Each structure stands twice: as structure tokens, then as C-alpha cells.
Amino acid sequence: MTGTTADRDTRGRGGRRRTHGGETAMVPPAEFTSYYGRPVVKPAPWTWEIPAYMFAGGLAAGSSLLGAGADLAGHEALRRSGRLTALGALGFSMAALVSDLGRPERFLNMMRTVKVTSPMSVGTWILALYGPPAGLAAAAEVAGMLLPGSKAAPVRLLVAAGRPAGLLAGLFAPPVAAYTAVLLSDTATPSWHEAYRELPFVFCGSAAAAAGGLAAAIVPPEQAGPARRLAVGGAVAEALAEHRMERSMGITAEPLRTGVPGRLMRAARVLTLAGAAGTLLAGRSRAVAVASGAALLAGSVCTRFGVVRAGIASALDPRYTVVPQRERVDRGEPVRHVAG
């Protein structure tokens, strides 16, 4: 394989390249190839289930965080919305993950060990610790709705467990929202690995924007203030982190700007910022709040699908593996990233 970033010089007539110093380079244009035309890095064989799993997991985490805060602040409708949305999103997320794995027992097999140096193992256990309290909080909410004032001991016990379970789910919410980004960054896939500094913040901001936007759309406006603030804050944080991420990634940011991943990422930016502006200006308008919430949810979906598709595209092109390696050599750094 041949070629570096310096190969992107201006080309003159006859295919000769002019360097910045005005000299004509006689070296033919670099061509990036690999053995038997196969990718240097094996692309992830993922279909729609994995980005959908990441989106729904982020929505569940953001909703649990919002539900816990609403419980402490005494916003009953917002608490109920957060808890029930978290359960629904978590259920969809797990269904998508199991669909990708093929069989449910493969998820259970990942829990046979605890390996703190493995993002996959840590993420599995974070989900295992988050899921039960999130489910218990939602069950308590349903019991309170269907059996208000019940004196039955099981119902009273379940309702009483709702607050500690909801707070515990809120405690695990940030790791749930961020761990999928760490999981991607810990791979050799160029556009995921080079994004390791900012990608967790992009995913957390996206999760907050989606959860806040949905809650602001479905709860009464007088209780939607915290949801609106979470949506706007998450959207701004996602936009800033994503902008910084693309600037720090070098050549591996190209797949985020071109082709289908580029269109998805541009759609994510437009939808997220438009949704945030609408949420901020919605006031008591239900129609504007619903449209803004839908835009924020769609923007969050586009972010996950865009990042995943960009990573797969970067694995298919040897340039995105070779050029960063040579740049690290030029800087005197190890060719391979060394774990921390």
C-alpha cells in the first residue's frame, strides 16, 4: 500500500503533481490497495439493528434521567413520562440487540464473566444493572395508575419501591448513554477509533436531546420546562462535540461528510438544531412541541445511523487505515494505539 496525506498535492497536466514549493513531482499518483483487494480492517457486519439499539438505549437513558429529576422536583406527569418511555425504549433496544445476536442466550453468555478492560463486558453489566430498576420504576408507575389508593400490600410495596428504583436507574443513565460510543471507539475501525475523544459526548448529547424533546411533546406545558432545557442543552452539546470531533479526526472524518453517512450526519444536524429551536420557542403550543420533539428524535436516529455507516465505509477504504498510521509514525508515536 502506498500514499500519504502529502499525496493530496495539486496535479498538473499529464498527471504530474505540483508540490507547494513549485517543484514538479515525478512520482505517480498514490493508489491505496490491499492484498487481494480485501479491506485492511474487516468492516462490522451490522445492519439496522445495532444503530437502532444504540438510539433506543440512549433514549431510555435520557428518559430515566429525566424521570428521576422530575420525581425529586415533584413533576408527576414528567416523572411518569420518563419512566414509561425508558421502559418502552429499553425493550425495543434489547429486542434489536437480540435480533442482531440471533439468539437471546448470546446476551446471557456475555454475563458469564466480568472484564473491566472490555467495553463489551462492562457495557453488558451496565445494561444488566440499569434494566431491572428502570423496569421496576415503570411497573410502580403503572400500578399507581391502574390501582390508585390500593391497600393491597404487594401494590403498596411496588409503589413504594418506585422512587428508589427510579433514582437508581437515573444513576446508571449516563453510562448507558455513553458506553456504546466507547464500544465503537475501542475497535480498529478508523472513523470510530479516531473519534474516541468526543464520540461519548456526541452520543450523550443526542440521547438528552431525544429524551427531552419527546417528553416536552407529551407532558403538559407547565411541567415540560426541565424537558425543554434538557432537549436544548443536549442538542447544543451534541452539535459542539460533533463539530470538534470532525476537526480532530483528520482524514478519517471524510466518511462523515460524504455519501450516505454524510447525508445522514447533515440531516442529523439540521433536525437537531431545528428541533431545539422549536422546543425553545414552542411555549404552550402543542403542535410546535410535537413537531420539535419529532425532529429531535429523527436527528438522534440519523446521528447513530450516520456514525455507524461512516465507520463501515472507513473500514472498506485502506486510506483511512494507512494514512493515520503513517502520520503517527511521522510524529514519532506508536503505529498502533496502546491501551491506556
Side-chain angles (χ1 to χ4, degrees), residues 93-169:
S93 175
M94 297 308 298
L97 177 60
V98 169
S99 175
D100 177 76
L101 293 173
R103 295 198 301 270
E105 57 267 30
R106 288 179 176 168
F107 176 78
L108 299 177
N109 286 339
M110 291 190 290
M111 299 179 63
R112 292 184 301 175
T113 60
V114 179
K115 189 175 181 181
V116 295
T117 57
S118 167
M120 177 69 79
S121 177
V122 172
T124 301
W125 280 101
I126 288 174
L127 273 180
L129 294 172
Y130 163 77
L136 183 58
E141 202 66 55
V142 173
M145 293 166 56
L146 298 179
L147 302 168
S150 174
K151 302 297 183 183
V155 176
R156 292 171 56 193
L157 182 62
L158 178 59
V159 172
R163 168 165 283 195
L167 295 179
L168 187 59

Side-chain angles (χ1 to χ4, degrees), residues 3-6 40-41 185 187-197 248-253 318-339:
T4 68
T5 51
V40 178
V41 176
S185 304
T187 67
T189 301
S191 290
W192 295 340
H193 189 88
E194 293 296 329
Y196 72 94
R197 304 173 192 83
S248 70
M249 289 171 61
I251 191 175
T252 61
R319 279 193 311 144
Y320 301 123
T321 301
V322 176
V323 171
Q325 285 182 343
R326 292 188 172 181
E327 290 176 342
R328 286 194 287 273
V329 170
D330 292 340
R331 293 195 299 266
E333 299 173 358
V335 175
R336 298 180 60 186
H337 285 280
V338 179

Side-chain angles (χ1 to χ4, degrees), residues 33 89 123 235 237 299:
T33 59

Side-chain angles (χ1 to χ4, degrees), residues 58-82:
L59 177 61
S63 297
S64 285
L65 187 64
L66 196 56
D71 189 16
L72 294 176
H75 297 307
E76 183 178 345
L78 187 57
R79 180 201 68 206
R80 182 180 304 122
S81 165

